[in-house]
C-alpha cells in the first residue's frame, strides 16, 4: 500500500496534488512519500520487535540525504557499498554502528574510513579481501568485525543481472569453502568473525529461495560452532520484490514470520538489507508529454523524462506502471496504445511500451514504483541535468534535491585552449 492516490480526477502524493508539485518544480521530477517510506520500513521493523534485529536499508536503492534521515530517525541502519555511501549516512545523521559494508571490491581507503567511524560489520566476499582488511585493521591498531558473504547456490528466479547467489556469480564465497574461509578469518589477528551473510538476488516474488538460503546459513552456523567459531548474527541481505505489474510478492511481515519461525530459538541477531521493498513504491517519476506522433501506425508519446532519468525499463526491460496525473479528459488528447519514449537519441530510450493511454501535449504522466533504483541510477547522458527530488510529508512538500543546472554539468571540465 502507498500514499499515491487519486482524489477525483487528480493524482495526489499524500495530501499534495502532483500537478502542483510539477507546476512548482517543473518536470521531470521525482516525488517521494514519507508516510509510504516509513510504512514499508515498519513492515519489517515492527514484525521483528520480539527478536534481536537490525534492519539496514539497502541505500543503493535511494541515497538522498533526506530519505536516509527519515529512515535513520525511525531506527534504520544502512547497508553500504562504498565510502561515498558511508559519508552520506554520516551526513544524514545516521549511526555508523548500524552500518554493514557490502561489496565485492572494497578499497583500502574505504576500509580504513569504515574502521575509523566504527561500523557494525564488514560483509567480506573473498579470501583476498580478508587479508586486505586484516592488514588495514592491524595498521590502525584495531580489529575489524566481519561476516562472510556465502554464496548459497540458490536460484532466486529473477532477472539474470540481479541474480547474485548462484555458483558462477562474482559475488560471495562458495558454499563449500565456508569452513576454510572462517578458519582463515579466525586465524587473522585483525579480524573478528561475528556473522554470516548472503544476498541471493533482487525483486524476488517468492520467499522460498530466501528461506532455502536461510536454512543453508543456519546449517553453516551450526558447523562453525562445532568448529569453535561462534557467530552472533545472520544477515539475509535484501531482495524482497515489489508489485510492479502483476507480481504478488509476499508482504514483509509474512516473510519475517517465516524467518522468525526458523531463527528465533537460536538467539542469533537477524540483520536484513532491504532496499527496493522499502523505497520503490514510495516514489513516482513525473514527466510531461512534449508531443504525440504516429509512425506507420505506431503511436508514440514523447515525454520530457528519459532513460538518463530512469534507466530500469531500458536496462532490464523492466515494466513500471505509467498513469495520468489527471484523468480529466480535454481536447487534443489521443487515446491509443502508446510507446512512452524520451528525447534521448537511442531507440532503447523508453519508459514503457504499448501502454493504453489518453494523452495529449502538456499532459503529465507518473511512472510508478520509481523510488528505488530510479534517481540513483540517473546520468547526464545527452547533457540532461538530473531531475529534482521532492519529499512529500502530509500537506508539505520539501525539495530534497534541486534540479541540476546546465553549468554544473561541465563545471569540472577544462578547455585546452584557455
Ligand atoms: N544487499 C546487497 C548486498 C545488494 O547487492 C542489494 C542489491 C541489496 C542488499 C538490496 O536489494 P533489494 O532489497 O533492493 O532487492 N538496479 C537493479 C537492482 C540491483 C540490486 C543490487 N543489489 C534494479 O533496478 O532492479
Amino acid at each position: 500500500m502507498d500514499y499515491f492516490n487519486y482524489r477525483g480526477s487528480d493524482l495526489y502524493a499524500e495530501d499534495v496534488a502532483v500537478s502542483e508539485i510539477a507546476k512548482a518544480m517543473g518536470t521531470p521530477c521525482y516525488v517521494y512519500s514519507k508516510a509510504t517510506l516509513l510504512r514499508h520500513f515498519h513492515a519489517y521493523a515492527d514484525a521483528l520487535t520480539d527478536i534481536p534485529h537490525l534492519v539496514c536499508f539497502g541505500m543503493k536503492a535511494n541515497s538522498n540525504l533526506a530519505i536516509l534521515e527519515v529512515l535513520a530517525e525511525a531506527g534504520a541502519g544502512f547497508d553500504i557499498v562504498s565510502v561515498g555511501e558511508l559519508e552520506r549516512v554520516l551526513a544524514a545523521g545516521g549511526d555508523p554502528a548500524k552500518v554493514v559494508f557490502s561489496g565485492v571490491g572494497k578499497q583500502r581507503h574505504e576500509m580504513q574510513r569504515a574502521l575509523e567511524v566504527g561500523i557494525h560489520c564488514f560483509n567480506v566476499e573473498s579470501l583476498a579481501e580478508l587479508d586486505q582488511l586484516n592488514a588495514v585493521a592491524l595498521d590502525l591498531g584495531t580489529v575489524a568485525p566481519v561476516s562472510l558473504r556465502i554464496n548459497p547456490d540458490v536460484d532466486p528466479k529473477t532477472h539474470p543481472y540481479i541474480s547474485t547467489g548462484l555458483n558462477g556469480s562474482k559475488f560471495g564465497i562458495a558454499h563449500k569453502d565456508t569452513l576454510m574461509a572462517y578458519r582463515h578469518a579466525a586465524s587473522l589477528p585483525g579480524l573478528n568473525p561475528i556473522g554470516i551473510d548472503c544476498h541471493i538476488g533482487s525483486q524476488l516474488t517468492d520467499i522460498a529461495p530466501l528461506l532455502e538460503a536461510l536454512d543453508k546459513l543456519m546449517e553453516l552456523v551450526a558447523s562453525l560452532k562445532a568448529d569453535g567459531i561462534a557467530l552472533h548474527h545472520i544477515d539475509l541481505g535484501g531482495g524482497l520484490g515489489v508489485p510492479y505489474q502483476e507480481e504478488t510478492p509476499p508482504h514483509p511481515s509474512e516473510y519475517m514470520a517465516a524467518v522468525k519461525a526458523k531463527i528465533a530459538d537460536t538467539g542469533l541477531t537477524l540483520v536484513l538489507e532491504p532496499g527496493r521493498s522499502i523505497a520503490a513504491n514510495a516514489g513516482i517519476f513525473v514527466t510531461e508529454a512534449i508531443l504525440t506522433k504516429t509512425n506507420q501506425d505506431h503511436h508514440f508519446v514523447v515525454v520530457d523524462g528519459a532513460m538518463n532519468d530512469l534507466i530500469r525499463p531500458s536496462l532490464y526491460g523492466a515494466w513500471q506502471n505509467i498513469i495520468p496525473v489527471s484523468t480529466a479528459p480535454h481536447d487534443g488528447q489521443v487515446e491509443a496504445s502508446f510507446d512512452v519514449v524520451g528525447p534521448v537519441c537511442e531507440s532503447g530510450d523508453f519508459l514503457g511500451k504499448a501502454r493504453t493511454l489518453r494523452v495529449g501535449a502538456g499532459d503529465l504522466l507518473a511512472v510508478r514504483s520509481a523510488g528505488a533504483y530510479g534517481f540513483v541510477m540517473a546520468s547526464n547522458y545527452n547533457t540532461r541535468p538530473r531531475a529534482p527530488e521532492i519529499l512529500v510529508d502530509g500537506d508539505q512538500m520539501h525539495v530534497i534535491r534541486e534540479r541540476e543546472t546546465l553549468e554544473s554539468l561541465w563545471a569540472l571540465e577544462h578547455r585546452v585552449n584557455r
Side-chain angles (χ1 to χ4, degrees):
M1 215 213 90
D2 61 59
Y3 294 89
F4 296 97
N5 293 303
Y6 286 103
R7 294 189 186 170
S9 55
D10 298 319
L11 182 67
Y12 272 69
E14 300 190 17
D15 297 326
V16 182
V18 172
S19 59
E20 290 302 319
I21 301 174
K23 200 190 287 175
M25 297 305 301
T27 52
C29 61
Y30 277 93
V31 178
Y32 308 122
S33 151
K34 179 177 173 183
T36 311
L37 195 65
L38 286 173
R39 184 188 164 91
H40 293 167
F41 171 71
H42 283 295
Y44 283 99
D46 295 356
L48 295 173
T49 45
D50 50 346
I51 65 161
H53 70 275
L54 180 59
V55 180
C56 295
F57 174 55
M59 64 177 280
K60 64 168 76 67
N62 188 325
S63 56
N64 183 289
L65 293 191
I67 300 291
L68 304 185
E69 182 183 24
V70 165
L71 291 170
E73 277 173 3
F78 298 96
D79 167 44
I80 64 166
V81 290
S82 70
V83 74
E85 289 193 344
L86 177 57
E87 297 300 345
R88 278 185 177 273
V89 171
L90 299 173
D95 180 357
K98 291 185 180 175
V99 166
V100 295
F101 195 165
S102 299
V104 69
K106 301 172 195 75
Q107 296 170 62
R108 203 186 151 83
H109 72 98
E110 297 184 304
M111 294 173 172
Q112 194 172 331
R113 178 69 174 146
L115 283 168
E116 278 163 6
V117 301
I119 66 164
H120 178 64
C121 195
F122 290 84
N123 291 348
V124 174
E125 302 217 11
S126 61
L127 294 179
E129 189 188 340
L130 285 175
D131 291 332
Q132 287 172 355
L133 181 58
N134 177 57
V136 175
L138 291 180
D139 278 356
L140 288 178
T142 187
V143 175
V146 297
S147 157
L148 300 196
R149 176 171 176 177
I150 303 303
N151 193 335
D153 196 23
V154 168
D155 185 355
K157 301 191 174 61
T158 184
H159 192 287
Y161 285 12
I162 49 179
S163 284
T164 46
L166 281 169
N167 280 337
S169 134
K170 74 171 174 179
F171 296 102
I173 294 171
H175 183 270
K176 66 174 177 49
D177 296 335
T178 307
L179 192 55
M180 178 268 291
Y182 271 95
R183 283 182 181 154
H184 184 57
S187 75
L188 297 173
L191 303 184
N192 179 21
I194 61 165
I196 187 164
D197 67 284
C198 70
H199 171 79
I200 60 172
S202 199
Q203 185 53 15
L204 273 62
T205 50
D206 178 4
I207 53 175
L210 291 160
L211 297 179
E212 193 185 330
L214 174 59
D215 286 340
K216 289 197 170 183
L217 291 195
M218 286 181 53
E219 280 167 20
L220 291 172
V221 170
S223 23
L224 288 165
K225 195 170 177 188
D227 203 59
I229 300 172
L231 300 179
H232 306 291
H233 78 245
I234 284 192
D235 176 348
L236 269 184
L240 192 63
V242 299
Y244 284 107
Q245 193 169 12
E246 277 159 2
E247 304 94 330
T248 50
H251 190 265
S253 60
E254 205 181 307
Y255 171 34
M256 288 303 100
V259 169
K260 262 196 316 194
K262 289 180 182 285
I263 204 177
D265 294 340
T266 65
L268 289 162
T269 297
L270 177 67
V271 180
L272 298 165
E273 304 166 2
R276 188 191 317 265
S277 52
I278 290 180
N281 283 319
I284 59 174
F285 175 66
V286 183
T287 183
E288 183 179 308
I290 300 170
L291 52 85
T292 60
K293 64 183 274 187
T294 303
N295 270 353
Q296 289 173 342
D297 297 336
H298 207 104
H299 301 287
F300 296 93
V301 51
V302 184
V303 296
D304 61 5
M307 66 188 287
N308 74 294
D309 300 300
L310 179 63
I311 202 174
R312 300 192 69 257
S314 304
L315 188 58
Y316 312 113
W319 191 98
Q320 296 185 216
N321 201 5
I322 302 180
I323 60 174
V325 168
S326 166
T327 56
H330 64 83
D331 288 348
Q333 287 181 317
V334 177
E335 184 160 3
S337 171
F338 283 104
D339 283 2
V340 182
V341 301
V344 163
C345 301
E346 302 229 7
S347 296
D349 177 28
F350 63 92
L351 299 176
K353 290 199 165 168
R355 304 304 174 89
T356 302
L357 293 164
R358 193 182 58 230
V359 64
D363 286 352
L364 296 171
L365 296 173
V367 184
R368 304 227 36 181
S369 317
Y373 307 113
F375 181 86
V376 284
M377 295 181 79
S379 77
N380 296 120
Y381 189 38
N382 280 205
T383 303
R384 291 170 50 86
R386 282 180 297 174
E389 296 176 284
I390 293 98
L391 178 66
V392 172
D393 178 10
D395 61 4
Q396 301 291 310
M397 60 171 259
H398 304 279
V399 180
I400 60 172
R401 194 175 203 275
E402 314 271 344
R403 186 183 307 283
E404 287 175 336
T405 62
L406 281 178
E407 296 71 28
S408 74
L409 301 191
W410 54 80
L412 302 178
E413 298 172 23
H414 302 286
R415 291 176 53 189
V416 175
N417 292 321
R418 272 199 1 176

